[in-house]
Amino acid sequence: MTIEIYAFPPSPRAFLAMALANHLGLDWTLRALDLPKGEHKTAEFAALNPNMRIPTLKEGDYVLWESGAILQYLAGKKPQSGLLPTDETGRLNVTRWQFWDACHWDQACAIYLFENFVKPVIVKGGEPDQAALTRGAELFHRAAKVLDGQLKRNKFVAGDRLTVADFSIGAPLNYAQAARIPLEDYPEITRWYAALRALPAWQKTLAQCGLPTAAAA
Ligand SMILES: N[C@@H](CCC(=O)N[C@@H](CS)C(=O)NCC(=O)O)C(=O)O
């Protein structure tokens, strides 16, 4: 049965689900919703996801929302991929980084994305709020130091193998230049993101999302 992914392709949260589905070679189809046009605020979509947020996954009668859970569901389709380890400590290690992403990394990156890109470029809503960016910098550097340290000792976020955590933590960095996310002091994050970006599925998804496909600077 085809997996339907409801997504707004420019969103990093959409990207991560699409990229993992591509990486796993799953049979999936995009149900594009234009967020600026409010296409997610319909009764039909609210019946699938009462939060009226993307990504949302549907396979037959089964519906799942929250990007981290969607990644686990997709990885479960191909357990042999190792993208979500099946042993308990391995799985919890990956899950730990997914929670870290949801609680720390995502919100720090989201401030840069919104203030430096979405607000001025997409919604033409005026200049960035400097107080928000100051708070973003505080959150970002605190989290980036942890991630850079982890990547100094490991090829990927959860160890020496690619996992679902790399997909979610890497996705906002597609906007690193456009959103002026300050990566200068984090060589390991830059090295790791370049490796993710070189994955064929990452490149394919960038193209599907209408994002530049050039190698990371
Ligand atoms: N915690 C959720 C966040 C989902 C989310 O906020 N998605 C945004 C796009 S990145 C959205 O749908 N926003 C629509 C809105 O806020 O109305 C997840 O990881 O799936």
Side-chain angles (χ1 to χ4, degrees):
M1 192 173 298
T2 301
I3 295 168
E4 299 167 79
I5 299 178
Y6 290 79
F8 175 54
S11 148
R13 295 274 137 200
F15 180 92
L16 58 89
M18 294 167 63
L20 184 64
N22 283 333
H23 184 77
L24 291 167
L26 299 175
D27 174 16
W28 72 280
T29 191
L30 174 65
R31 299 278 177 238
L33 294 176
D34 190 327
L35 299 190
K37 285 189 182 154
E39 288 178 0
H40 56 308
K41 295 202 171 145
T42 62
E44 190 190 356
F45 186 60
L48 294 179
N49 182 347
N51 300 289
M52 293 188 273
R53 290 177 190 271
I54 58 90
T56 296
L57 175 148
K58 184 171 186 300
E59 187 178 20
D61 292 336
Y62 182 70
V63 176
L64 187 64
W65 39 264
E66 278 300 322
S67 59
I70 290 172
L71 289 183
Q72 292 202 6
Y73 181 80
L74 294 173
K77 296 278 176 192
K78 297 245 174 112
Q80 69 280 12
S81 69
L83 285 158
L84 183 65
T86 48
D87 66 293
E88 194 179 15
T89 55
R91 181 179 51 76
L92 287 172
N93 183 35
V94 172
T95 307
R96 169 241 305 265
W97 282 104
Q98 288 190 281
F99 277 102
W100 177 87
D101 171 34
C103 297
H104 307 298
W105 181 249
D106 179 59
Q107 56 171 294
C109 293
I111 293 173
Y112 285 95
L113 251 84
F114 182 71
E115 295 299 336
N116 287 339
F117 183 65
V118 176
K119 199 203 278 185
V121 180
I122 307 292
V123 299
K124 314 249 185 282
E127 292 302 304
D129 174 343
Q130 291 307 322
L133 283 172
T134 300
R135 175 72 182 139
E138 201 178 298
L139 294 173
F140 179 80
H141 290 295
R142 186 169 174 182
K145 277 184 194 126
V146 174
L147 181 60
D148 205 64
Q150 173 71 358
L151 290 167
K152 200 171 205 156
R153 298 180 297 275
N154 300 280
K155 189 169 172 192
F156 295 106
V157 166
D160 59 4
R161 293 190 62 168
L162 184 73
T163 69
V164 296
D166 296 291
F167 283 80
S168 55
I169 297 171
L173 298 184
N174 291 335
Y175 288 96
Q177 284 186 4
R180 301 198 292 280
I181 297 177
L183 287 177
E184 302 77 38
D185 295 336
Y186 305 107
E188 297 299 330
I189 297 179
T190 304
R191 182 267 306 156
W192 157 81
Y193 172 67
L196 295 181
R197 202 177 162 91
L199 292 170
W202 204 278
Q203 285 289 310
K204 178 178 177 178
T205 314
L206 287 171
Q208 272 177 325
C209 293
L211 296 171
T213 54

